[in-house]
Amino acid sequence: MALKGNLTKARLAESMLQLIQTSGYSGTGLNAVIEHAAAPKGSIYFHFPDGKEGLGIAAVELAAKQFETLIAEAATSAGSAAEAARVAIEALATIVSESNFRLGCPVSVVTLEMGAESERLRQACAAAFEAWIVPTSALLEASGVEAKEARSLATVVVSTIEGAVIVSRAMQSTQPLLSAADVVAELINQRCKTAGGTR
C-alpha cells in the first residue's frame, strides 16, 4: 500500500512538473494535475496536505534532481569541465527542441510567477538553483579553479543557461542555447588555463 501511495505521489509531482512547463504555475489547476496523473480525486490533499503550494515545491525539487542528474552524467562522460558544460547544454537544447519549444525550465517559471508571492516556493527555487551551482562549482574546482572563483563562475554558467533556455523558447530555435554552450565552454577553458588547470 505504501509503495502504491509513493508511486501516486511521485506521479502527481511529475505531472505538476510537466504542466508547469507547458501552462505555467498559475495556469496549472489541481484538477488538471489529477487528470494528467490519472490519480484518484482527493489524492493531492492526501499526499500534499498544503495543496498546490506543496505540490509545486515537490515539482521544483523533482526538476532540481533531474538537472543534477544531467550535470552528473555530463561530468562523467566529458573529459573536462568545459566539455561537461557543453554536453549538458546541448542535452537541454535537444529536450527543448524535441518538445517543439514547449518545455523549458520549470524552476525559472515558478520563480518568475511565484517568487514574490510564496516564500516557500521561492526558497524551493533557490535551493534548486543551488543544487546546480554546487556540483558545477565542484567540477571547476577539480579543474584547478580556486573555490571562490569557481562558485562565481558556476553561478554565471547556471544563469546563462537559464536565460538561453528562455530565449530559445521565445525564438523557437536552439541557436541561443548552442551559442551559450560555445561561450560557456570558452569561458571555462580560459579560467581553467589561467588557474593552471587542465583543459
Side-chain angles (χ1 to χ4, degrees):
M1 188 70 177
L3 177 60
K4 186 177 179 182
N6 287 337
L7 289 173
T8 300
K9 185 175 184 179
R11 204 162 67 244
L12 288 166
E14 178 64 40
S15 289
M16 182 67 172
L17 175 59
Q18 291 183 31
L19 290 170
I20 285 173
Q21 291 181 93
T22 56
S23 305
Y25 179 86
S26 299
T28 299
L30 294 183
N31 287 336
V33 176
I34 290 169
E35 184 179 340
H36 188 277
K41 284 190 174 181
S43 58
I44 284 183
Y45 287 102
F46 177 78
H47 294 292
F48 301 97
D50 45 357
K52 185 175 178 179
E53 186 179 52
L55 186 55
I57 290 168
V60 167
E61 290 172 347
L62 179 58
K65 288 176 186 173
Q66 289 177 350
F67 195 55
E68 270 186 276
T69 300
L70 182 65
I71 294 171
E73 289 174 352
T76 301
S77 65
S80 68
E83 189 182 339
R86 183 184 295 281
V87 167
I89 297 171
E90 288 176 351
L92 277 176
T94 299
I95 291 168
V96 172
S97 176
E98 288 181 350
S99 74
N100 198 27
F101 300 94
R102 288 175 59 80
L103 299 184
C105 176
V107 180
S108 62
V109 171
V110 175
T111 301
L112 292 170
E113 285 191 36
M114 300 302 297
E117 305 294 328
S118 166
E119 179 62 14
R120 290 181 66 213
L121 283 168
R122 185 202 65 74
Q123 289 178 0
C125 291
F129 289 129
E130 183 70 10
W132 305 337
I133 290 169
V134 168
T136 304
S137 180
L139 192 59
L140 292 166
E141 284 189 63
S143 298
V145 180
E146 186 268 333
K148 186 176 179 181
E149 184 179 0
R151 165 78 189 192
S152 177
L153 182 54
T155 303
V156 168
V157 169
V158 170
S159 301
T160 299
I161 293 170
E162 286 297 302
V165 168
I166 293 169
V167 178
S168 283
R169 289 186 70 191
M171 293 185 169
Q172 295 212 324
S173 167
T174 57
Q175 193 55 54
L177 272 163
L178 298 179
S179 295
D182 290 339
V183 172
V184 164
E186 180 58 29
L187 178 60
I188 291 174
N189 266 333
Q190 288 176 0
R191 294 296 175 89
C192 289
K193 284 171 66 178
T194 301
T198 57
R199 292 188 62 159

